[in-house]
Amino acid sequence: MSATNAASAAVGISSSDGEALTTSAIVAAEAVTGSHVLQIKAYSTTTKELGNGKHIKSSTFSVGDHRWYIRYYPDGNALENAGWISIYLQHHHTDAAVEVKAGFVFGVLDDSGRYVPMFTTKTSVDDTFCCKNRRWGFSKFVTRKALEESSYIRDDCLKIRCDVIVSKGISTEATMQFVLVPPSNLHLHFGSLLSGAVGADVTFEVAGEMFAAHRCVLAARSSVFMAELFGPMKEKTMNCIEIQDMEARVFEAMLHFIYTDTMPDIDQEDAFVITQHLLVAADRYDLERLKLICEDKLCMCIDTSTVATTLAVAERLGCLGLKKACFELLKSPSHLKTVLATESFYHLMTTCPSLIKELLAKMSVLAARSLVFMAELFGPMKEKAMNCIEIKDMEARALEEDAFVITQHLLVAADRYDLERLKLICEDRLCKCIDTSNVVTTLALAERHGCHGLKNACFQLLKSSRHLKMAMATEGFDHLITTCSSHDYLSMTSSHIGTCLCLVLIQGKVML
């Protein structure tokens, strides 16, 4: 949010004898401006589900000590406006006596975060927001047809910005206006100094191009240039300095900001990439304001094709706001699926594992809970790029049906997907439900999956001669015997199960 003096005064008019006339001026002592970006995610679904006359509200935001929100009607606010998007700025206040004058403008944003002229309203005059009318706006903002045929809905997401100008304290006072003082044009003079290269005392070579500049200007704006050009570094005595690992157009844009404190005009086609590189340059040369400007612009125009690389840049340069914007985009399951299939995300996985862990903690329950799902969904396995994954050798039934059998199968699944707590829960439930009809199969299951507690529970049951006789009469025991070859039997007898059963039989502790 920025505050600007919006004072306006009438220019003094001289009479025929040359004396200045006293005039009065209406002075808006202060005007406060602010903006809010409304992102309509799942645009097509929202428009279809809401329909004519229904709206959604943005979160509230503050401008000029007042709270505001946007009312967005995806199919018009009334029947006569069907096929249009209606949009309004609403003053949010519980005190009916409060009045505020404010102007505003609505506009659709392009990929670089700029207003699209054909989808932008003119700035309204100061409207009075009071108890009789807390809402002002446009019933016919843009037609849905024109918007949907444009390229400004990316990944089914539409971005609309609202700039609000709140007038604070209007008064009338007498004034004697002799001189009209123009606004500051310091940036124009410094821009001319850069373009004309008058008095330049250092030259930079960047990717084969030469740029003349002034040491004192660079040093005044950047602590890094101060150290390089006036410190003990070798560049202090050099007339031509080579800048490596930077494109010429990025360095030129950075110089423009250093001299004018404004962003240069960048071709829309390359805007995102240049802004990313300019962010890196701003961090490299300690230009904090430029860094924040670039970060803000990138927040406005990230999408599924750029979010992975942007997230990596944000993490590396400590851009917390940009990082949050990336995570916000990835909250959408459809966006996350799209991003997972990109090579840039795979590169992010291999280079920034800590960042992936943070993302998983926010986004993916399956991968966060299971190392196997982590490998399948985010690793080099083929499942990484699949939206539908077939799970073989597993039933889909719920625990309520055939509880014991399903719990056995669930234990196998828990072991398969490294879900240790679920495995222990299943093991505990099976311990309480084993009997002579299922003890043999349960014992084999416990041995195969390393369930020591379940194995001990089976042995405890088989200590009884009656229980052992009944268990040996089951198909499960016969199956266990017939499926073991001599080699398998020797292997089995060396195991915990085989040893214990053989000891039980050989020592005659159980009378058959």
Side-chain angles (χ1 to χ4, degrees), residues 437-449:
S437 67
N438 58 42
V439 65
V440 175
T441 57
T442 303
L443 191 55
L445 181 75
E447 174 73 3
R448 189 164 65 249
H449 296 284

Side-chain angles (χ1 to χ4, degrees), residues 202-248:
V202 64
T203 303
F204 294 91
E205 182 180 352
V206 188
E209 294 189 32
M210 309 300 288
F211 298 91
H214 306 78
R215 292 174 181 267
C216 57
V217 176
L218 301 180
R221 297 281 283 164
S222 163
S223 60
V224 176
F225 275 126
M226 174 69 81
E228 288 184 354
L229 301 175
F230 292 96
M233 301 174 70
K234 65 178 182 179
E235 286 84 353
K236 176 180 179 180
T237 58
M238 297 173 64
N239 292 327
C240 183
I241 301 172
E242 183 182 1
I243 302 294
Q244 298 179 345
D245 303 322
M246 189 180 298
E247 293 183 32

